Amino acid sequence: GGLPTKEIISQGNKRENPNYQEKDWWLEKINQEKVESPLERLAEEEGASLDIARGVLGLLTGAKAAEADLILQYPLDALQVREAKNKAELAKAIAFPQEENPDKEVDGSRVNAFLHAFWNAGMAYRIGTEKTEKFATAHETYTQDQYEGRWTKEEILNKIDPDSGLTTGQNVEMDMYNNGIGRQIAEKMPETEEQIHQQLLYRYGSEEEVAQELERFPGFSQADLLLFVYTKDALEAGQLMWLYEGKDA
């Protein structure tokens, strides 16, 4: 028979796709034939866009094995976990300037203690204490290459961080402790937005001061700001744990 002519191919396409001359005929076909993924279904059920699914998939990049498992189990909660992490990183950047906190990036430092507590407080306020504990604990687990047997458990936990002189085991112990304090902080939060606002007025003294502080932390809600205040209180009161006092200590 030989190869089909261009005319036969064109007729075949016409029969298969009657609207093939329309610019989006292929999109309709794909939408009819594609197999829907669980994340797409989730996005539709929640009445949200596919951006939710894409956001969840983005979280998997660089996630530890235990974290990836939780992200897939609780995708919407995982997005809230990321939101809380972003707020914690923002608070760390603004409230602890580098020139006054030269060791702020060192694991085991005072600022790192604040970061973990505030992150957990933000998570617990958003998704509850139980799930927050799961996500926070998963973050402290071994990485994938460690699971694959490159090191023993003892070698991992006794590995020394050259920046602080602390072992991985010490850093994990500190992080887990501060994570727990953060979750307790969230439990102190008032139940209504009005009560949160009144607490902020009590702390800052005026509507103007509250507004200025919210401007200082772009994207913060009033709840985020009160969680920040509570976490800073815990830090100043010595309720958080940090094991690194600086190079000169």
Side-chain angles (χ1 to χ4, degrees), residues 86-111:
N86 290 343
K87 297 292 174 66
E89 292 285 358
L90 177 67
K92 171 185 164 183
I94 294 173
F96 301 93
Q98 184 70 40
E99 57 271 18
E100 298 172 20
N101 302 273
D103 301 309
K104 65 184 287 184
E105 301 301 333
V106 177
D107 276 349
S109 69
R110 180 173 177 269
V111 178

Side-chain angles (χ1 to χ4, degrees), residues 40-56:
E40 288 174 318
R41 188 162 59 251
L42 170 70
E44 290 172 5
E45 288 171 0
E46 293 295 326
S49 72
L50 198 55
D51 288 343
I52 287 180
R54 293 194 184 104
V56 172

Side-chain angles (χ1 to χ4, degrees), residues 25-42:
W25 70 267
W26 55 272
L27 186 58
E28 292 175 5
K29 183 174 176 58
I30 289 171
N31 284 338
Q32 288 169 3
E33 296 182 359
K34 69 178 180 178
V35 177
E36 189 177 49
S37 76
L39 289 178
E40 288 174 318
R41 188 162 59 251
L42 170 70

Side-chain angles (χ1 to χ4, degrees), residues 62-196:
K64 297 176 180 177
E67 289 179 299
D69 185 53
L70 284 173
I71 289 166
L72 292 173
Q73 282 187 63
Y74 308 110
L76 291 178
D77 292 320
L79 293 174
Q80 294 297 317
V81 168
R82 181 180 63 181
E83 178 73 8
K85 180 186 176 187
N86 290 343
K87 297 292 174 66
E89 292 285 358
L90 177 67
K92 171 185 164 183
I94 294 173
F96 301 93
Q98 184 70 40
E99 57 271 18
E100 298 172 20
N101 302 273
D103 301 309
K104 65 184 287 184
E105 301 301 333
V106 177
D107 276 349
S109 69
R110 180 173 177 269
V111 178
N112 186 259
F114 167 86
L115 179 71
H116 275 265
F118 187 47
W119 175 44
N120 274 258
M123 281 196 289
Y125 184 73
R126 289 168 168 81
I127 66 173
T129 302
E130 186 177 340
K131 285 180 183 174
T132 294
E133 185 173 6
K134 289 181 179 180
F135 275 99
T137 304
H139 184 68
E140 301 299 334
T141 59
Y142 301 159
T143 58
Q144 190 61 39
D145 57 355
Q146 290 168 338
Y147 272 122
E148 290 166 359
R150 292 177 59 180
W151 298 286
T152 65
K153 180 179 179 180
E154 288 71 26
E155 286 173 330
I156 294 168
L157 294 178
N158 292 324
K159 186 177 180 183
I160 294 176
D161 182 344
D163 292 328
S164 66
L166 300 173
T167 65
T168 300
Q170 287 175 305
N171 280 324
V172 169
E173 180 184 2
M174 175 185 141
D175 291 346
M176 295 285 278
Y177 178 84
N178 294 322
N179 291 346
I181 297 295
R183 295 191 292 272
Q184 291 175 22
I185 287 171
E187 293 176 357
K188 294 169 49 181
M189 285 290 284
E191 291 184 4
T192 68
E193 290 186 14
E194 178 58 30
Q195 289 170 335
I196 289 171

